[in-house]
Amino acid sequence: QLVVRPYPNHCHGQKQREQFESLMLKLKFDDNKYLVDSLLKSRLVVLDNIQTVFFEVIAYGVPVMVFHDESMWEFNREFSSICEEMKKLNMLHTSPESIAKFLSGIVDNIEDWFNTSEVQQLVERLRSKYARTSHDPERMLIDQLNKIVGTKN
C-alpha cells in the first residue's frame, strides 16, 4: 500500500495532506512520530528531494528513489556526477512519469533491483561519503577534532 508521510511542520504538512486527499487516491498517511520506525518498515521510500531524509534512508539501507526537479535544485560538480549515476541506475528520476513507469515494472521485485551489485556499490559510496554511521560517534568526533588540532588522544 502507498503510504505518504507529509512534511512534519503542522501548517505545511496539513496543506500537503489536503492536496493528496483532494486527489481521491487510496492513500494511507504516516503519522508516526519517529521517522526511523517508518523507514525500517518500508519496502521502498520515494522522496521529492535529496536532503537529510535521503541520506538517512541511505544510512539505513532502505531502497530509495528520488523525483528530482532539476529546476529547483542544483548540486556541485562532484554530486552532480553521482546524480548522473543515480539516473542510470533508476534511483533518481526527473519526471513523475519516469519514476511511475520504472516503479510499475519492479513493484513486485524492488529488492532485486535495489540489491543489484551496481546499485549497492553506489549506495555504499553514498553511505561512505555522506551518511556514515558509527557505533561510537563520540570517539569518531574526538578523533576528527584531534586531527584538526594536531594532537592524539
Side-chain angles (χ1 to χ4, degrees):
Q1 179 180 14
L2 183 60
V3 179
V4 175
R5 184 178 178 96
Y7 189 79
N9 172 291
H10 176 69
C11 295
H12 189 65
Q14 184 60 35
K15 185 175 180 180
Q16 283 182 331
R17 182 183 290 260
E18 290 167 2
Q19 288 173 327
F20 278 113
E21 287 172 343
S22 74
L23 297 173
M24 306 296 280
L25 300 172
K26 292 182 181 179
L27 299 174
K28 178 181 176 188
F29 289 94
D30 178 8
D31 295 317
N32 191 332
K33 182 177 177 182
Y34 302 103
L35 175 64
V36 69
D37 292 343
S38 297
L39 293 178
L40 294 175
K41 292 177 186 172
S42 300
R43 285 187 58 224
L44 173 70
V45 174
V46 179
L47 302 170
D48 64 355
N49 61 64
I50 299 176
Q51 292 187 27
T52 305
V53 174
F54 172 77
F55 296 106
E56 289 176 313
V57 175
I58 290 294
Y60 285 109
V62 176
V64 61
M65 285 183 195
V66 180
F67 164 63
H68 173 68
D69 184 343
E70 293 177 315
S71 69
M72 290 184 64
W73 303 99
E74 187 175 327
F75 299 113
N76 66 30
R77 190 175 324 137
E78 180 183 3
F79 199 78
S80 291
S81 173
I82 290 171
C83 287
E84 289 304 313
E85 284 185 70
M86 289 172 61
K87 285 179 192 175
K88 289 176 187 167
L89 296 172
N90 290 298
M91 285 180 71
L92 187 144
H93 296 261
T94 56
S95 75
E97 296 80 13
S98 170
I99 202 166
K101 181 179 178 183
F102 183 72
L103 273 174
S104 70
I106 67 156
V107 71
D108 294 325
N109 300 302
I110 292 168
E111 296 80 8
D112 292 345
W113 160 75
F114 192 72
N115 289 320
T116 62
S117 61
E118 297 87 359
V119 171
Q120 283 302 299
Q121 286 172 11
L122 178 57
V123 167
E124 188 50 44
R125 282 198 356 254
L126 285 164
R127 187 181 294 127
S128 170
K129 182 140 180 119
Y130 302 104
R132 279 188 283 166
T133 59
S134 172
H135 294 293
D136 191 358
E138 293 85 4
R139 174 85 267 158
M140 196 172 159
L141 176 62
I142 289 167
D143 290 346
Q144 290 300 312
L145 292 172
N146 283 334
K147 284 181 185 177
I148 292 170
V149 296
T151 62
K152 293 194 176 205
N153 190 11

